[in-house]
């Protein structure tokens, strides 16, 4: 079976047929850098990282693009409340996100464009839409004319007449239809001048939906293979991306993949609801690889109802894999050493088969819409067989099992050998994340915002970081 993926646009399982043989192009909606990431964001990254690794493992050359939304209504509001430049808040949070991504074993994107670096491409896209009769200017704002594009609603399966008014802009009385959404937003008197750019329609900044269309096609071309994101982005974000891109004449994404959400107490995890579990806090309680295992083991389209008990079970399961790899590696190394002592040439064949291919059942599982639950089951079946072979002293079987485990965990991003090296690097990563928090605290104290400074100190304490102010500056320890 070749790779089949569930395409949200057609609501069906489709064979993956890339635009160009041997190459796969993926665009993933990145975060709006208004704050640090939580585990709901992490799931999105890990799902797409497994897909990317599987495509690479099966011979594809993958171009993976994930954007950074570094200008947005929420960013401007939060920076104004904090009394700091919007770009400073954006960059600081971007650093935390990149560190968290690396900490959780996600491969870095091929390209990671920032929205603010692609305003010319956005202006050009707007001009194309206006010329084609799909957009119009109104007192410095530019709107997409939903009624001008009959297929609007095809991705989410909604009917235009049943939709509510767009909520991403003001001045609804200037719209031709209340469902029209903003492509460009004119600058407001209470916004900093640095948060606007000159255009034929006046100074302003891009709408959220416009940003992704411009950046995706900039790096992947007018038509590309896969667009990913969370289920909560289907409407309006991805619906609007698709509409404005197709209306401008681009083919845009050929497959749409949407992952399920992480729930806490029955509700979607989100900053607006205040029910988030931050990555920095979580990795103080669990090893990053255990958190990755937990989020990757569920099928990407399912809802995860978070519980500490379930995460603990995932951590235990990972440790069984880790334990087998340690014991098998030691047994094979001892065997190779003994063989080498008797005959130097004889020991060569006792090395672990780390380059072995993944079992057929594992490949079938991932080819079936990235079926990680079944893939993890194959992994544990192989570990059990390997442990039995260890007990029986069947080292050739052990070597085969270890090679298969290496191949499978490499695709899943949880190969213990990689994470042993990562553990040695964990202190610098935590140093970097705490340093960002200390910068935020210092900035708050400098502007005499002591409640915010105290809140940062309390957040660090809750994450297990004890902070002490000294004459030489703040010192911290992990409790």
């Amino acid at each position: 079976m070749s790779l089949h993926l569930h395409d949200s646009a057609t609501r069906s399982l489709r064979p993956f047929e890339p635009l160009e043989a041997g190459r796969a192009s993926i665009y993933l909606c990145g975060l709006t850098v208004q704050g640090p990431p939580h585990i709901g964001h992490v799931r999105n990254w890990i799902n797409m990282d497994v897909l990317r690794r599987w495509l690479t493992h099966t011979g594809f050359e993958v171009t993976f693009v994930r954007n950074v939304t570094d200008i947005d209504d929420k960013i401007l509001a939060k920076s104004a409340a904090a009394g700091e430049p919007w770009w400073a808040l954006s960059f600081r949070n971007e650093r935390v996100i990149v560190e968290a991504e690396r900490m959780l074993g996600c491969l870095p994107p091929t390209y990671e464009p920032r929205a603010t670096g692609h305003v010319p491409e956005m202006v050009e896209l707007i001009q194309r839409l206006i010329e084609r009769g799909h957009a119009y200017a109104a007192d410095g704002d530019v709107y997409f004319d939903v009624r001008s594009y009959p297929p609007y609603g095809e991705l989410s399966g909604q009917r235009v007449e049943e939709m509510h008014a767009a909520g991403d802009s003001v001045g609804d009385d200037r719209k031709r239809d209340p469902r029209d959404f903003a492509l460009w937003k004119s600058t407001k008197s209470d916004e900093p001048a640095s948060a606007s750019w000159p255009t034929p329609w006046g100074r302003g900044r891009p709408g959220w939906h416009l940003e992704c269309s411009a950046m995706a096609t900039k790096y992947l071309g007018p038509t590309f293979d896969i667009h990913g994101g969370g289920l909560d982005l289907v409407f309006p974000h991805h619906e609007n991306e698709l509409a404005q891109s197709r209306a401008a004449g681009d083919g845009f994404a050929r497959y749409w993949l949407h992952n399920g959400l992480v729930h806490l107490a029955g509700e979607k995890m989100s900053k607006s609801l205040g029910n988030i579990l931050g990555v920095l806090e979580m990795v103080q309680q669990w090893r990053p690889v255990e958190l990755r295992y937990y989020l990757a083991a569920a099928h990407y389209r399912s809802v995860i109802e978070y519980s500490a008990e379930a995460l603990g079970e995932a951590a235990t399961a990972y440790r069984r894999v880790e334990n087998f790899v340690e014991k098998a590696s030691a047994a094979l190394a001892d065997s190779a050493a003994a063989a080498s002592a008797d005959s130097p040439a004889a020991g060569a064949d006792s090395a672990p088969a780390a380059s072995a291919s993944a079992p057929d059942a594992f490949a079938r599982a991932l080819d079936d819409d990235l079926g990680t639950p079944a893939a993890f089951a194959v992994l544990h079946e192989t570990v059990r067989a390997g442990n039995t072979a260890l007990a029986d002293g069947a080292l050739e079987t052990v070597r085969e099992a270890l090679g298969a485990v290496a191949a499978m965990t490499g695709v899943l991003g949880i190969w213990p050998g990689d994470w042993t090296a990562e553990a040695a690097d964990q202190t610098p990563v935590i140093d970097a994340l705490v340093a960002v928090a200390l910068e935020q605290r210092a900035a708050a104290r400098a502007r005499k915002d002591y409640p915010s400074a105290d809140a940062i100190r309390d957040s660090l304490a809750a994450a297990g970081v004890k902070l002490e102010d000294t004459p030489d500056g703040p010192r911290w320890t992990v409790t």
Side-chain angles (χ1 to χ4, degrees):
M1 176 182 179
S2 61
L3 176 63
H4 284 62
L5 298 170
H6 185 272
D7 175 25
S8 299
T10 61
R11 299 159 188 78
S12 65
L13 195 66
R14 296 174 53 203
F16 177 60
E17 298 173 349
L19 190 65
E20 184 178 350
R23 297 176 182 270
S25 48
I26 304 174
Y27 182 85
L28 175 64
C29 279
L31 295 186
T32 299
V33 287
Q34 57 173 305
H38 58 69
I39 65 169
H41 301 137
V42 168
R43 185 188 189 189
N44 178 273
W45 305 343
I46 292 171
N47 293 154
M48 297 304 291
D49 188 62
V50 171
L51 173 61
R52 178 186 182 181
R53 288 170 181 264
W54 182 236
L55 286 167
T56 300
H57 182 86
T58 52
F60 286 90
E61 181 181 334
V62 181
T63 301
F64 181 77
V65 177
R66 189 189 66 222
N67 73 295
V68 175
T69 297
D70 58 343
I71 184 68
D72 172 83
D73 292 344
K74 294 176 182 177
I75 290 172
L76 292 179
K78 289 194 173 186
S79 63
E84 65 177 321
W86 62 269
W87 40 264
L89 181 141
S90 292
F91 183 63
R92 181 169 61 253
N93 287 320
E94 182 184 338
R95 287 170 58 197
V96 175
I97 289 166
V98 170
E99 284 293 346
E101 178 192 40
R102 188 185 76 81
M103 183 188 298
L104 290 158
C106 296
L107 300 172
T110 312
Y111 308 109
E112 193 166 20
R114 295 189 183 103
T116 54
H118 296 79
V119 172
E121 290 85 354
M122 297 174 200
V123 171
E124 181 181 344
L125 178 54
I126 292 173
Q127 289 173 324
R128 288 164 59 196
L129 287 167
I130 290 175
E131 290 169 1
R132 286 170 169 258
H134 295 294
Y136 58 93
D139 298 331
D141 292 341
V142 183
Y143 296 103
F144 181 84
D145 187 344
V146 166
R147 291 288 186 179
S148 74
Y149 184 69
Y152 187 75
E154 60 184 331
L155 180 62
S156 59
Q158 298 188 71
R159 297 169 61 90
V160 173
E161 54 270 22
E162 296 172 357
M163 295 178 185
H164 295 296
D168 65 348
S169 59
V170 297
D172 288 349
D173 58 326
R174 293 175 295 148
K175 293 182 180 182
R176 295 174 181 172
D177 187 289
R179 286 153 288 223
D180 293 350
F181 59 89
L183 299 170
W184 190 258
K185 299 182 178 184
S186 58
T187 186
K188 308 300 185 293
S189 59
D190 60 343
E191 294 177 353
S194 60
S196 66
W197 289 262
T199 73
W201 316 285
R203 293 192 68 88
R205 55 188 172 85
W208 177 34
H209 316 302
L210 180 80
E211 296 174 349
C212 283
S213 287
M215 287 184 282
T217 53
K218 165 78 172 183
Y219 294 93
L220 298 176
T223 305
F224 55 92
D225 293 315
I226 299 169
H227 193 311
L231 191 62
D232 55 339
L233 297 183
V234 174
F235 188 89
H237 186 46
H238 288 168
E239 187 75 71
N240 292 350
E241 277 188 65
L242 177 62
Q244 66 199 9
S245 299
R246 293 271 175 88
D250 294 334
F252 210 56
R254 301 173 66 245
Y255 297 80
W256 290 84
L257 269 63
H258 290 100
N259 63 275
L261 307 179
V262 178
H263 284 188
L264 186 60
E267 292 190 295
K268 179 187 80 169
M269 193 173 295
S270 71
K271 292 184 176 72
S272 60
L273 293 174
N275 63 343
I276 62 173
L277 294 171
V279 174
L280 178 59
E281 291 81 5
M282 293 299 292
V283 298
Q284 295 297 331
Q285 304 171 53
W286 307 94
R287 290 189 295 168
V289 65
E290 294 166 352
L291 179 58
R292 181 184 174 102
Y293 182 108
Y294 170 63
L295 294 170
H299 192 274
Y300 78 93
R301 289 197 291 119
S302 67
V303 171
I304 293 180
E305 185 66 48
Y306 172 80
S307 75
E309 293 78 9
L311 180 47
E313 291 170 2
T316 299
Y318 172 74
R319 290 165 195 167
R320 285 197 289 269
V321 176
E322 187 178 45
N323 182 258
F324 166 70
V325 170
E326 291 174 355
K327 292 191 299 182
S329 298
L332 292 169
D334 290 345
S335 172
S340 180
D342 293 336
S343 172
D349 290 337
S350 297
S355 60
S357 61
D360 289 343
F362 180 87
R364 286 195 298 272
L366 290 189
D367 277 345
D368 185 10
D369 194 29
L370 213 65
T372 53
F376 273 85
V378 176
L379 170 63
H380 283 283
E381 288 169 7
T382 306
V383 167
R384 283 192 290 272
N387 280 325
T388 299
L390 273 171
D392 295 341
L395 292 185
E396 183 57 32
T397 301
V398 171
R399 188 162 69 92
E400 292 172 358
L402 181 59
V405 167
M408 289 186 282
T409 54
V411 169
L412 298 170
I414 58 170
W415 167 240
D418 292 339
W419 289 92
T420 299
E422 181 68 17
D425 292 337
Q426 209 51 218
T427 297
V429 172
I430 295 173
D431 284 348
L433 292 171
V434 174
V436 171
L438 292 180
E439 287 179 15
Q440 292 176 319
R441 181 170 180 260
R445 296 181 76 180
R447 61 178 183 269
K448 301 187 185 304
D449 183 3
Y450 298 113
S452 294
D454 290 343
I456 293 169
R457 180 198 60 207
D458 294 343
S459 295
L460 287 170
V465 178
K466 180 181 179 181
L467 188 62
E468 179 184 4
D469 289 310
T470 75
D472 297 322
R475 293 179 182 174
W476 62 272
T477 56
V478 177
T479 60

